[in-house]
Amino acid sequence: MTWNDKRIETWVGVMLRTGVMLAAAVVLAGGALYLAQNHGPRPDYEHFHGEPAHLMSLRGIGHGVATGDPRSIIMLGLLLLIATPVGRVVMCVVGFLFERDRLYVAVSSLVLVILLYSLFFHK
Amino acid sequence: MNELWFVVILFLSSTGAGLLGALSGLGGGVVIVPLLTIAFHVDIHYAIGASLVSVIATSSGAAAAYVREGFSNIRVGMFLEIATTLGALVGAWLTTKVPTQAIGVVFGLVLLYSAYASLKQKHAEMTEKPDPLALRLLLKGDVPADDGLHHYVAQRVPLGFGLMWMAGALSGLLGIGSGAVKVIAMDQAMRLPFKVSTTTSNFMIGVTAAASAGLYWRSGYMAPSLVMPVMLGVLAGSLIGSRLLVKAEVRTLKIVFALVIVALGIEMIVHSATGMGA
């Protein structure tokens, strides 16, 4: 089978589905642990006060997961989920490379650059 | 309210939202923010954070099914994602600058528009000449029809691109998928076949939402304990919904859902506008 758009899309579909299920499993595990440890009243979501700094950096989440912190595990699942569409764009760059479609290698690379900028630098 | 109960009720409500979203074709995201802010008194920043994550989950979760149908156009989607991601950067940035009440009012207006758009009939078949820019960018394809393959070429590419930028900005500002605006851009402006527009839009929603996710994350809009039941519920609901759907005619359901969305839209506008003076 040669490389064509249909084949790229099939691979992308499988990857997206797997990514979502993996992310949901991690979120579910973190959630179960969270509920096992927290029995108090619901947290205050009525007033916005952001999230603790350690949940807003990759290093902080990594450390939290290593120590079994439920919120960090949930955040890891959410980051996996956010990564699935990014993975889709990466697969399209590769797929268009195989198709030797230079125009669309450039288009999908541009989308990838915008996404990476937004994830790590956008303020 | 006890935390466990809060999580259970939130999960069940989100499952309902995901189910209705899948059956109506509007996506679950559009009702999550009103649900959280109106029924659960959640601050709108936490609400759009939870909603955006759910939008990514439903988009990626449904992708495999859409690929099987074979209508989505990967090039059209990728080209227009340049516009939606750039729009999302601006929209997400605005959430950190614009007052909460203004976000609420814009949200209400978008809800009203989505309800209207969901009931409108699809456009008449194309007659105009294809856009030369579309030919250069390979924005074309074939769709299976009753009498063999139908060839299509996109029209009015700059208009579609501009509308997609708008869709991205709204997605970033409101934490929604903006599926309704994306379909308008492809179906109405670019005159792509309806099935191509809806399935390509689904793919684009996840990528667009991911472009806002970084800023939401680093601004603390994603409260893990709140997002957890919402994301899992919407995902479960939308997966059940897409199984039920298959090819059933859902006109009545669409009307019911549109009425619910109109009510939510009015409530959000009134609620936000009266809160402005306070």
Side-chain angles (χ1 to χ4, degrees):
Chain A
M1 188 174 163
T2 56
W3 276 95
N4 57 35
D5 291 6
K6 182 76 196 161
R7 190 170 174 202
I8 298 177
E9 284 188 84
T10 310
W11 278 79
V12 164
V14 172
M15 187 278 291
L16 289 177
R17 188 98 186 197
T18 315
V20 169
M21 290 307 155
L22 184 66
V26 174
V27 170
L28 188 64
L33 204 58
Y34 174 80
L35 288 176
Q37 293 178 7
N38 292 271
H39 304 285
R42 67 174 252 198
D44 173 29
Y45 300 120
E46 291 184 35
H47 306 95
F48 182 71
H49 35 67
E51 286 299 303
H54 70 88
L55 290 178
M56 301 200 289
S57 75
L58 285 179
R59 184 191 295 259
I61 291 169
H63 184 259
V65 171
T67 55
D69 169 45
R71 282 175 217 260
S72 301
I73 297 173
I74 298 174
M75 279 307 299
L76 174 70
L78 300 183
L79 291 183
L80 280 173
L81 183 71
I82 294 166
T84 56
V86 183
R88 177 191 160 225
V89 178
V90 172
M91 290 181 78
C92 286
V93 174
V94 175
F96 287 127
L97 265 174
F98 278 119
E99 281 193 34
R100 296 169 196 281
D101 181 339
R102 273 193 234 153
L103 176 63
Y104 273 85
V105 171
V107 167
S108 38
S109 301
L110 177 57
V111 174
L112 185 61
V113 168
I114 298 171
L115 278 182
L116 292 178
Y117 167 79
S118 77
L119 280 174
F120 296 108
F121 302 107
H122 189 213
K123 289 212 186 336
Chain B
M1 202 190 308
N2 175 292
E3 173 122 44
L4 179 62
W5 271 113
F6 178 67
V7 166
V8 169
I9 294 171
L10 208 51
F11 174 79
L12 293 177
S13 318
S14 304
T15 307
L19 190 62
L20 278 175
L23 290 175
S24 66
L26 275 174
V30 85
V31 290
I32 286 297
V33 173
L35 178 78
L36 289 177
T37 54
I38 297 169
F40 293 95
H41 305 289
V42 170
D43 177 272
I44 200 159
H45 294 97
Y46 287 134
I48 60 178
S51 171
L52 189 84
V53 168
S54 313
V55 160
I56 299 178
T58 48
S59 165
S60 294
Y66 282 121
V67 169
R68 260 198 307 279
E69 285 186 27
F71 288 106
S72 63
N73 187 315
I74 198 167
R75 275 162 227 268
V76 169
M78 193 54 74
F79 173 69
L80 294 174
E81 274 159 15
I82 297 174
T84 62
T85 50
L86 287 176
L89 290 182
V90 175
W93 174 77
L94 279 175
T95 63
T96 63
K97 307 285 169 200
V98 170
T100 305
Q101 290 86 353
I103 301 178
V105 171
V106 175
F107 205 110
L109 294 173
V110 169
L111 283 176
L112 295 182
Y113 182 75
S114 305
Y116 163 75
S118 76
L119 294 179
K120 222 169 50 165
Q121 290 299 317
K122 33 188 144 164
H123 74 82
E125 275 313 302
M126 58 170 128
T127 46
E128 293 161 57
K129 278 207 314 199
D131 188 333
L133 188 60
L135 292 172
R136 276 237 299 281
L137 291 166
L138 308 172
L139 304 177
K140 57 187 172 138
D142 299 292
V143 275
D146 299 333
D147 52 340
L149 286 180
H150 273 204
H151 189 68
Y152 63 87
V153 181
Q155 298 172 21
R156 297 187 283 182
V157 174
L159 177 65
F161 197 83
L163 283 169
M164 281 296 176
W165 185 88
M166 277 274 300
L170 286 173
S171 168
L173 179 65
L174 308 175
I176 58 174
S178 280
V181 184
K182 289 193 176 84
V183 173
I184 301 295
M186 284 187 277
D187 173 61
Q188 305 283 324
M190 300 174 73
R191 302 276 173 194
L192 294 167
F194 193 68
K195 269 277 184 185
V196 174
S197 305
T198 51
T199 52
T200 305
S201 160
N202 175 73
F203 267 109
M204 296 179 62
I205 284 170
V207 174
T208 309
S212 310
L215 191 105
Y216 278 26
W217 167 42
R218 277 175 289 104
S219 306
Y221 296 179
M222 292 180 187
S225 47
L226 177 73
V227 178
M228 177 256 297
V230 174
M231 173 249 179
L232 292 175
V234 172
L235 182 62
S238 66
L239 289 179
I240 298 167
S242 55
R243 292 272 151 79
L244 289 180
L245 190 62
V246 200
K247 282 189 171 67
E249 191 54 55
V250 284
R251 185 80 193 152
T252 323
L253 190 84
K254 270 197 163 177
I255 293 172
V256 172
F257 197 52
L259 289 175
V260 172
I261 287 179
V262 167
L264 289 174
I266 292 170
E267 173 68 30
M268 284 216 62
I269 293 169
V270 171
H271 186 83
S272 304
T274 50
M276 265 178 187

